[in-house]
Amino acid sequence: MILVLLGPPGAGKGTQGDRLAASLKVPRIATGDVLRAAVLKGTPLGMEAKAAMDRGDLVPDEVILGIMQEALSAPEAERGAILDGVVRTVPQAEGLARVTATLGRQVDAVLLFEVSEEELLRRLGGRTVCSVCQTPFKGREVGELCEKCGGRLIRRKDDEPEAIRHRLAVFQAQTAPVVAWYRASSTPILAIDAAGTPDEVEARMLAALAQVRS
Ligand code: AMP
């Protein structure tokens, strides 16, 4: 099963994507994580993406489709994949449809995480992440240590207030039309109320998915 998680930054796609990947036993593919790892390693991909990421702008569609092609062709993704933060523009949706078609597959459903802007600003402003394993934390300060790997916690450059507002505007302008594109292509779209605790959101997500799978 290939599922696309859509929603603004801070809507909880990463947290819910991890849970879903574990329960469906398929990989979660997050382009943001792949790009941040490339930036840390200083690879050509990372160097190309860094400036756009720091501003909160999108990196070019071809870069994202290259990552997708590679990740979906890997043996781990044979049973499916959870695509987190991947389809952010209409050309990416079109490109992903071509990639899945060449693999004899398709996007089975889009999960649309909905949450108010006020709540998003609150969540992202209070977020730190581990500089090594990228685990996000709430209510923890920059400089503290990650209990998973001992790495130091940092604030993502794109979680600064200006960049947050810019990312939300980018989402509205470029990603909202993606929903219309999937609607027009008859892919099931499951709207999930993403306010509340991770457990509450997970329960809503699983209930919505059960309808599609039955
Ligand atoms: P995320 O961790 O998903 O919030 O992504 C962080 C940043 O990586 C975004 O603000 C973009 O600069 C870049 N990025 C991640 N995924 C994509 C994508 N599908 N298309 C374009 N840029 C992306």
Side-chain angles (χ1 to χ4, degrees):
M1 198 176 211
I2 298 181
L3 299 173
V4 167
L5 309 191
L6 269 186
K13 302 185 297 295
T15 305
Q16 299 303 332
D18 269 344
R19 292 178 177 215
L20 204 50
S23 80
L24 298 177
K25 299 191 176 53
V26 299
R28 166 180 160 252
I29 300 168
T31 35
D33 289 352
V34 173
L35 291 168
R36 274 186 294 279
V39 169
L40 279 178
K41 282 202 201 124
T43 65
L45 170 66
M47 285 175 348
E48 186 179 351
K50 185 174 187 317
M53 292 177 75
D54 285 350
R55 285 193 307 270
D57 280 330
L58 296 182
V59 305
D61 292 329
E62 312 81 70
V63 172
I64 299 299
L65 287 169
I67 297 173
M68 281 295 77
Q69 169 84 51
E70 196 180 322
L72 285 173
S73 310
E76 307 85 82
E78 243 164 45
R79 296 186 56 244
I82 309 297
L83 305 184
D84 168 4
V86 170
V87 187
R88 278 159 127 120
T89 65
V90 169
Q92 286 181 24
E94 291 166 347
L96 177 61
R98 283 195 298 274
V99 170
T100 51
T102 58
L103 297 168
R105 300 157 75 180
Q106 60 174 17
V107 170
D108 295 288
V110 172
L111 276 59
L112 179 60
F113 290 78
E114 296 180 319
V115 55
S116 73
E117 180 163 335
E118 201 185 3
E119 171 69 9
L120 292 175
L121 286 169
R122 202 182 56 75
R123 286 186 189 178
L124 291 173
R127 173 166 87 173
T128 48
V129 296
C130 172
S131 56
V132 179
C133 71
Q134 306 202 22
T135 300
F137 292 94
K138 259 199 306 199
R140 299 279 307 276
E141 296 303 320
V142 169
E144 289 182 27
L145 297 182
C146 167
E147 50 274 330
K148 277 199 189 164
C149 77
R152 210 160 273 286
L153 304 193
I154 54 167
R155 168 128 24 244
R156 277 171 49 176
K157 269 215 175 87
D158 58 358
D159 278 347
E160 301 291 345
E162 262 318 292
I164 292 175
R165 261 187 282 276
H166 185 60
R167 285 160 73 205
L168 291 177
V170 168
F171 173 76
Q172 284 309 335
Q174 289 182 291
T175 311
V178 171
V179 178
W181 189 89
Y182 277 113
R183 196 162 279 132
S185 72
S186 303
T187 306
I189 299 176
L190 313 176
I192 319 273
D193 174 2
T197 65
D199 285 348
E200 286 165 350
V201 178
E202 182 182 12
R204 291 180 203 130
M205 174 176 75
L206 294 179
L209 259 181
Q211 285 176 0
V212 174
R213 300 179 82 194
S214 63

